[in-house]
Structure formats: C-alpha cells, structure tokens
Amino acid sequence: MTLARSLPDDPAEWWILLGVLVLYVVARWFFAWWHARREGDDHPVRAALAEEDDPGPTVTGGFRSYRQFSGFVGSAIAVVLVAALTDGRLRVVLLCVMIPLLVTGLSYLDFRQAQKARQGA
C-alpha cells in the first residue's frame, strides 16, 4: 500500500490539470495587460505578451519572495483541509470555487513580484 497518487488515468482529470495551468497563464497575461492599459500604453496587448520575453532576474531553486512561498503553502493547506474535512457535493463545490480563486491569487503574486524585479533592475 502506498499513499502516493499516480498520474491521472481519466482524461477528465488531465483536462482539469491543464485547465488550472491555462487559468494561471491567462491570469498573468490579464494582470500584465491591465497594468499596461492603466499606465497608458498604446498597445497593452503587445506589452502584456512581451512581458514574458524580458529576461529578468530569476531565482533558481526556490521562490522569489516569502509572499510567494506563504501563498503557495497557504493555498495547499486550504485545499488539503477542504478535501479532507468535506465530502460529496460540498467538497466539489468548495474546490470548484476555491481553486480558481487561489490560482488567480498566486498568479497575481507572481505578477507583482516580476513587476518589482523589473522596476528595481
């Protein structure tokens, strides 16, 4: 008996994982577009897409700030608590509401950290 989970066998589970990744990327692009539009950029979509092309300072082997780390750990704890303490439809509803909010929040934290790194460089 092992406690580790294997990779998803059901295609629906793969679509859910892919959806979470897509939500993160779209949220990052939205925050970059919103910031460029707020600053009065002539082409906010171009600026949002070019944001990822900027070779900024990267930290390897960890998180860039304690906020990113605490956001990741706090989100993981919240998801585990909901999954462990609820059952049935309540679990599904709570996770369907919580996970998109947490992923969007983490993408905002990453966006803010990258923005600070670009301004400081």
Side-chain angles (χ1 to χ4, degrees):
M1 180 173 115
T2 62
L3 295 176
R5 235 184 124 196
S6 66
L7 290 174
D9 295 331
D10 186 17
E13 293 178 15
W14 282 107
W15 283 111
I16 291 169
L17 291 175
L18 182 64
V20 169
L21 292 174
V22 167
L23 175 65
Y24 175 83
V25 170
V26 168
R28 275 292 300 265
W29 282 340
F30 172 76
F31 292 132
W33 169 81
W34 178 65
H35 179 71
R37 196 176 125 232
R38 196 176 68 196
E39 287 188 346
D41 197 336
D42 292 335
H43 301 285
V45 174
R46 236 184 265 161
L49 295 175
E51 177 196 68
E52 299 299 324
D53 295 338
D54 294 338
T58 59
V59 176
T60 57
F63 295 93
R64 293 182 183 169
S65 74
Y66 72 91
R67 287 185 182 141
Q68 286 177 317
F69 178 73
S70 62
F72 180 79
V73 171
S75 296
I77 289 171
V79 168
V80 166
L81 284 175
V82 166
L85 298 177
T86 60
D87 197 20
R89 289 184 182 176
L90 179 62
R91 176 189 292 173
V92 172
V93 169
L94 285 175
L95 290 178
C96 286
V97 170
M98 277 181 48
I99 289 177
L101 291 175
L102 293 173
V103 168
T104 304
L106 288 175
S107 68
Y108 182 73
L109 285 175
D110 289 347
F111 165 74
R112 294 289 299 184
Q113 187 65 30
Q115 184 182 9
K116 285 181 187 178
R118 278 193 302 277
Q119 289 175 352

